[in-house]
Amino acid sequence: VENIRGIVVDEENFYTLGVLRNGGGFTYRKNGTLILERRAGNVFERLHIDSGRVCFAFCQSVTTSEGSSERYYMVRDGRQSVMEFDEDVSIVWDMMSHQGKNCALVSSGPWNTLELIEGAEKHIVGIPHGGEMLSCRLFTSGKDICVEGLFSDKEGSLCSGIWIKGQEYMLFEAGRS
């Protein structure tokens, strides 16, 4: 049994992304027919259409003789591909397909720098000095890939912001309108 997490409808078909109620795994269906199922793993936020293809991303724990780690996947029209990250990536906040490119929002390096990966390009997301990202996700606006996030500033107040290609667009600071 599953809970529907996303629905996409095109001219001829409807697609659903469901999460299993037991807490792990998901299903991807086209017109009710099962296309892809995982008994373990977690999907990222959305089921969406990009460049005419139905897309979503997920991660799954993999155990080897060296220990366990997360493996990340992008799915387009039911075909999955592994998404590789540099070794210094500590957090993968979100992933999506945009204009045919694999996009991800990650924290990496010794200072957990927030980066937007757009295909082969990387953009640093400029959080105000002393701030710490608490929650963030990707979204699109026309041809732009954007980030919305909630962070604490150096005084510990909650703030939110929007960044386009990593550049600060608008910050909403606590106590200010």
Side-chain angles (χ1 to χ4, degrees):
V1 181
E2 61 202 69
N3 290 324
I4 301 299
R5 184 79 170 271
I7 298 174
V8 168
V9 179
D10 65 17
E11 300 83 28
E12 301 172 11
N13 303 292
F14 73 94
Y15 305 85
T16 60
L17 184 61
V19 293
L20 302 179
R21 287 188 184 175
N22 68 5
F26 64 90
T27 60
Y28 169 61
R29 298 177 186 273
K30 177 180 176 182
N31 299 324
T33 302
L34 186 63
I35 302 297
L36 181 63
E37 178 179 30
R38 290 287 179 270
R39 292 287 173 194
N42 296 301
V43 294
F44 285 89
E45 289 263 332
R46 74 208 52 80
L47 181 64
H48 64 285
I49 294 179
D50 177 48
S51 303
R53 298 185 291 182
V54 179
C55 307
F56 69 96
F58 72 95
C59 68
Q60 189 169 11
S61 291
V62 177
T63 303
T64 65
S65 60
E66 298 173 6
S68 66
S69 63
E70 297 292 317
R71 188 166 290 159
Y72 298 89
Y73 300 88
M74 185 67 66
V75 179
R76 292 182 177 90
D77 285 342
R79 290 182 214 73
Q80 63 185 21
S81 59
V82 175
M83 195 162 166
E84 301 282 340
F85 294 105
D86 294 340
E87 283 186 19
D88 67 344
V89 168
S90 56
I91 300 171
V92 177
W93 295 92
D94 198 7
M95 292 172 42
M96 70 182 299
S97 179
H98 179 62
Q99 296 186 333
K101 297 177 187 174
N102 288 342
C103 298
L105 187 57
V106 302
S107 290
S108 65
W111 295 280
N112 278 329
T113 303
L114 189 64
E115 295 179 319
L116 168 61
I117 299 170
E118 183 181 12
E121 297 178 45
K122 288 184 180 180
H123 310 279
I124 292 176
V125 178
I127 301 169
H129 180 70
E132 178 184 1
M133 188 59 74
L134 303 172
S135 174
C136 54
R137 72 177 202 97
L138 297 171
F139 72 98
T140 60
S141 177
K143 292 185 177 193
D144 291 322
I145 184 86
C146 308
V147 175
E148 65 178 345
L150 178 67
F151 63 96
S152 63
D153 66 14
K154 62 185 174 188
E155 284 85 34
S157 296
L158 291 180
C159 305
S160 60
I162 296 173
W163 296 262
I164 298 175
K165 288 196 176 230
Q167 298 301 308
E168 180 180 305
Y169 176 70
M170 188 177 298
L171 293 180
F172 305 96
E173 297 181 43
R176 296 185 186 167
S177 49

